[in-house]
Amino acid sequence: MSIELITWDPQNVWKLSDDTNPESLHDELALRARNGETVDVIGVKGEHITLNPARLQAWSIVTEHK
């Protein structure tokens, strides 16, 4: 399964690790956006990505089963 986090303003696409739970990620982004806190996620290559959801205009989580 491939998972991508797509953001607008700033526009970006992050490819996330396969073990990312899309529902939990969405809930965590929404909670942290309200509290002004950052969220750490793991990219497909094992890199750590720190996001500030309060600064994101919108996001989508796209999953594709292989």
Side-chain angles (χ1 to χ4, degrees):
M1 176 169 67
S2 76
I3 302 170
E4 294 180 341
L5 174 64
I6 303 169
T7 63
W8 290 268
D9 196 21
Q11 187 173 18
N12 209 336
V13 176
W14 287 279
K15 294 185 183 295
L16 304 180
S17 71
D18 289 346
D19 64 347
T20 302
N21 181 321
E23 292 177 12
S24 294
L25 176 59
H26 175 75
D27 293 345
E28 191 72 17
L29 287 170
L31 174 67
R32 302 294 180 185
R34 286 192 295 274
N35 296 334
E37 300 170 344
T38 60
V39 176
D40 292 321
V41 295
I42 305 296
V44 73
K45 296 179 182 175
E47 70 275 21
H48 291 272
I49 303 165
T50 300
L51 301 170
N52 185 346
R55 295 193 175 270
L56 301 175
Q57 197 71 304
W59 65 78
S60 293
I61 300 170
V62 178
T63 58
E64 181 180 306
H65 295 277
K66 293 180 181 179

